[in-house]
Each structure stands twice: as C-alpha cells, then as structure tokens.
Amino acid sequence: MKPSPPEITVLIPTLNEEENIGKLINVINSILTKEKMLYEIIIVDGNSTDNTVKLAKEKGATTILQTEKGFGNALIQGFEQARGTYTLTLDADFSHNPETIPQFLKERKTADIIIGSRYVKGGKFKISLSRKVISIFANKTFSLLLRVPIKDLSGNYRLYKTEILGKINPECEHYDILQEIAVKSYKQGFKTKEIPITYIFRTKGNSKLIVRKYLKQYIKTFIKLWRM
C-alpha cells in the first residue's frame, strides 16, 4: 500500500545556513505535527560550503543540490519535486517567522496563493531605512504600473496550491521570480490573498552590492511583465 501523499510541501532554498537550518526544521516539524498535517520538507541547497546539507539530512529533510545558480532556479527546482497539495516557501534565516505557518494553513482554501505581506494592515518589517525605502518604492511601482492589486510582490513567504505552479510556469532565475509568479498568477485569473507578517532582515552581507546586482534584472523583468 502506497503512503498517502503529503498535504504540505515546505520548500526552503539554502546557502550556508548551518546556524539556522536545524533549528528551523525543528520548529516546522513541531508546528506541522501539532496541526496534524502530512508534510515533507525540501531543502534546495546552492552548494553550501558549511554543514547545511548534513544538518538538514539529519533532521529528515529531503535535500536537493541546486544545478543552476540563482534564487529563482532554486525555487523552480523545488517546485518540480514538490508532492504536496500545497507548497509553502520561506527563507532559511528566520527572517520569516515559522510560527506564522498556522495562519497560512488556516487560509489555504480561500485562495490559490497566500502571500505573507509586509504592506497590508498589521504587516511590519524591521530593516534599515534605505532598504525600507527601496522595498516600498519597488513594490508600489510594480503594483501600480503593472495594474496588479497585490501590495507585496517581492516577498517569499507564500503558500501556493501546487497544481497552479505548472500552469504559471515561472522562468526568472533570480529574486525577480517572485514578481513574475505574482503577476502571471493574477493575469491568469488565479486568486491571491495577502495576510500580515512581520519580516526581520538578517543583518548579514552587503546591501549595496545586492541592490546593484539585481537592479538590472528587475528592470528586465518589469519590461517582460509589462509586455504581457
């Protein structure tokens, strides 16, 4: 007798997250066990040089080594392996509070995509002022000019009906995949709902480098989505 397929796939892209991944999986295991959900956890790792993969395996997660560079490619690779009726995505560094997962599950039948939003009533984010300004400007610009009634187009804390991901067929290789999915889903008539979350940016890395690196890609994505 074949085991029942999972109700939820939890998909987490990782890169050198040995300080967080074990703790995060423990919290997710505890939450979904309490919710009495059949689930699987998939880690798509971008060739970490630390013990991220080892720790994830020890905690029982399915681990996949990323074959193409880029955050978008990590999500696409994970989507292809997801067996759950729903797929939950979140970051590995606790910038997305896993304790919010029950709220996503509670809303899962109300829309095709549930977005954890920083910009709806009750949503918050704790980041530097410069990042906050850039984030607000980018999201409002995309939403207004693309005529998409979604306030948080760039957040990765989401719950998808897995079956729609193949219909959306995301292609972007980097973080702009998040805008691509949101815009394509709206244009194809899928229902999106935003629920408030608190986002806490992990103070690691060079923010100026990140902005410069992805700015051109965001512009290309905007042009591509505008043509839709």
Side-chain angles (χ1 to χ4, degrees):
M1 184 176 179
K2 292 183 178 180
S4 299
E7 297 169 84
I8 302 290
T9 295
V10 181
L11 173 58
I12 310 171
T14 59
L15 179 63
N16 296 328
E17 292 289 352
E18 66 176 8
E19 294 181 5
N20 299 303
I21 196 60
K23 299 174 186 176
L24 180 59
I25 292 175
N26 283 342
V27 175
I28 293 172
N29 283 335
S30 177
I31 290 170
L32 293 178
T33 298
K34 289 180 181 178
E35 293 289 326
K36 298 181 179 179
M37 305 287 290
L38 293 175
Y39 67 95
E40 64 179 357
I41 299 176
I42 296 178
I43 304 296
V44 182
D45 187 75
N47 298 299
S48 293
T49 56
D50 60 10
N51 292 315
T52 298
V53 172
K54 178 177 178 289
L55 292 171
K57 287 181 177 179
E58 289 176 353
K59 295 296 181 178
T62 298
T63 58
I64 302 171
L65 295 181
Q66 190 172 339
T67 55
E68 300 290 339
K69 292 182 179 180
F71 176 81
N73 284 323
L75 286 187
I76 291 170
Q77 198 169 342
F79 291 154
E80 292 172 349
Q81 300 299 318
R83 298 183 299 120
T85 304
Y86 300 90
T87 297
L88 176 77
T89 60
L90 73 163
D91 294 346
D93 59 4
F94 282 96
S95 56
H96 297 140
N97 184 358
E99 298 294 341
T100 310
I101 289 176
Q103 297 178 37
F104 282 88
L105 299 179
K106 183 179 179 180
E107 301 287 347
R108 68 186 184 277
K109 295 182 180 180
T110 65
D112 298 297
I113 303 176
I114 308 296
I115 295 178
S117 177
R118 297 159 289 180
Y119 303 114
V120 295
K121 184 177 180 180
K124 302 175 183 178
F125 50 117
K126 300 177 181 179
I127 57 177
S128 66
L129 179 59
S130 60
R131 278 182 171 272
K132 191 171 186 177
V133 170
I134 292 170
S135 178
I136 292 173
F137 176 78
N139 277 281
K140 285 192 173 183
T141 299
F142 267 64
S143 178
L144 178 64
L145 296 183
L146 295 175
R147 299 177 184 176
V148 177
I150 300 173
K151 294 183 178 181
D152 198 334
L153 290 164
S154 60
N156 181 46
Y157 204 177
R158 298 178 178 181
L159 181 70
Y160 302 95
K161 286 185 179 177
T162 304
E163 65 180 3
I164 75 167
L165 293 168
K167 298 174 183 177
I168 293 172
N169 189 30
E171 301 173 349
C172 290
E173 298 178 352
H174 302 292
Y175 286 95
D176 50 348
I177 192 174
L178 299 170
Q179 288 97 332
E180 178 194 14
I181 291 174
V183 172
K184 281 186 174 180
S185 65
Y186 174 73
K187 297 300 183 183
Q188 292 182 34
F190 295 116
K191 184 177 180 181
T192 299
K193 183 174 184 177
E194 295 181 85
I195 63 173
I197 62 166
T198 297
Y199 175 87
I200 303 175
F201 177 69
R202 180 179 61 173
T203 54
K204 181 178 179 181
N206 189 324
S207 60
K208 292 183 179 179
L209 177 62
I210 292 173
V211 172
R212 291 172 182 172
K213 182 177 181 180
Y214 293 111
L215 181 58
K216 289 183 179 180
Q217 192 61 44
Y218 277 128
I219 294 173
K220 290 180 181 178
T221 301
F222 176 82
I223 294 171
K224 179 180 178 180
L225 296 176
W226 173 265
R227 289 173 176 171
M228 290 176 54

